[in-house]
Amino acid sequence: MTGETLSQALSRGRAFLTQHDIETAALDARVLLQAASGLSHEALVMHGDDAIAPEAGQTFQMFLDARSQGKPVSRILGRREFWGLELGVSGDTLDPRPDTETLVAAVLDRVGGRRRPFIRDLGTGAGAILLALLSALPQARGLGSDLSYGALRMARANARAIGVDDRAAFVLSDWGRVPTRLADVVVSNPPYIARGELPGLMRDVRGHDPMRALDGGADGLEPYRRIAGQLPLVALPGALLAFEIGPTQAAAVQGILSGVGASVFGPGLGMLRDLAGRPRVIVARAPRH
Ligand SMILES: C[S@@+](CC[C@H](N)C(=O)[O-])C[C@H]1O[C@@H](n2cnc3c(N)ncnc32)[C@H](O)[C@@H]1O
């Protein structure tokens, strides 16, 4: 590897990851080489014929080894981009997924005239949903809660790094149990995998995301039942509700919400699909009484 140029290192990395059946070999090799060398994508292209620095070469190889064993890029680098924000992630947080941006977009499309909404994010993890909303809505304030101290620490650090920590607070709470001011908007991406399906998850998920972020109980719907039952504690009457769901859960989650008096059909309400066309978000309104 001595005397290897940046573009040779990149090709070698791509081939190595392909051999290890990593579907996104080309992208991953590039992102890992950028991180190892501290170079932007453009700089990599412009300086492809320069020799890679020895320490960068060693770090790159370490990253490739970890990736070839199935560790996701975000976990190797300890960060992930979400809604254009650079978020820190840790072993205590779910790795925020691009699909969850569908929920952020749904809320932004619907907050409408509410100039200073108060937002609650139940099961905030690294803070992805709340921080994306606060960064897009400069007058909004929000409270993220989680059952994991480690996740809350990460979310706070992310809020500081993004510069919204004066409008974001994070507390330990079993869903909505902590009493606060009632919210105009309640969002959640709760764990929604049925327990029996957990052993079959892709290798990037199993063993890297914390179990607490995935396990939705016997049928994957338990957190929705808990959250629905706690709506009077967290949501103003008629508050906007946006919950991420698994692809087969739309009707069941709408049934749970309408069972507690929430509105699930009407203008702007219903099920939304992600970019791949799969059901991904339920938008509803909290009970009005
Ligand atoms: C699927 S992850 C979502 C994380 C983040 N909102 C996101 O979209 O990236 C679910 C989160 O719910 C949290 N959680 C699980 N059970 C909880 C409970 N009873 N009360 C509050 N949070 C809980 C987990 O710790 C995890 O951070």
Side-chain angles (χ1 to χ4, degrees), residues 102-139:
T102 310
L103 191 160
V104 174
V107 172
L108 292 178
D109 279 351
R110 289 165 177 78
V111 278
R114 288 243 177 233
R115 283 176 46 79
R116 303 163 70 90
F118 177 61
I119 303 168
R120 279 208 59 174
D121 180 8
L122 305 176
T124 195
I129 301 171
L130 180 61
L131 297 178
L133 291 172
L134 294 184
S135 74
L137 300 167
Q139 309 246 24

Side-chain angles (χ1 to χ4, degrees), residues 82 87 89 92-97 100-101 103 121-130 145-149 151-152 171-177 187-193 209-215 223 226-227 230 244:
F82 181 83
L87 295 182
V89 295
D92 293 313
T93 66
L94 182 90
D95 185 0
R97 309 292 204 273
T100 303
E101 295 181 344
L103 191 160
D121 180 8
L122 305 176
T124 195
I129 301 171
L130 180 61
S145 50
D146 207 287
L147 256 195
S148 154
Y149 276 116
L152 293 168
V171 291
L172 191 82
S173 170
D174 184 6
W175 299 125
R177 276 195 173 275
V187 293
S188 185
N189 172 17
Y192 52 70
I193 316 278
D209 281 315
M211 242 343 123
R212 184 186 275 155
L214 303 173
D215 184 352
R226 301 270 322 278
I227 291 171
Q230 293 176 356
E244 181 162 325

Side-chain angles (χ1 to χ4, degrees), residues 221 224 228 243 245 248-266 269-272 279 281-285:
L221 296 167
Y224 300 101
F243 299 145
I245 54 162
T248 59
Q249 293 173 323
V253 172
Q254 285 174 319
I256 290 169
L257 290 173
S258 61
V260 297
S263 317
V264 294
F265 299 113
L269 307 184
M271 180 272 284
L272 304 177
V281 176
I282 294 299
V283 182
R285 290 272 169 196

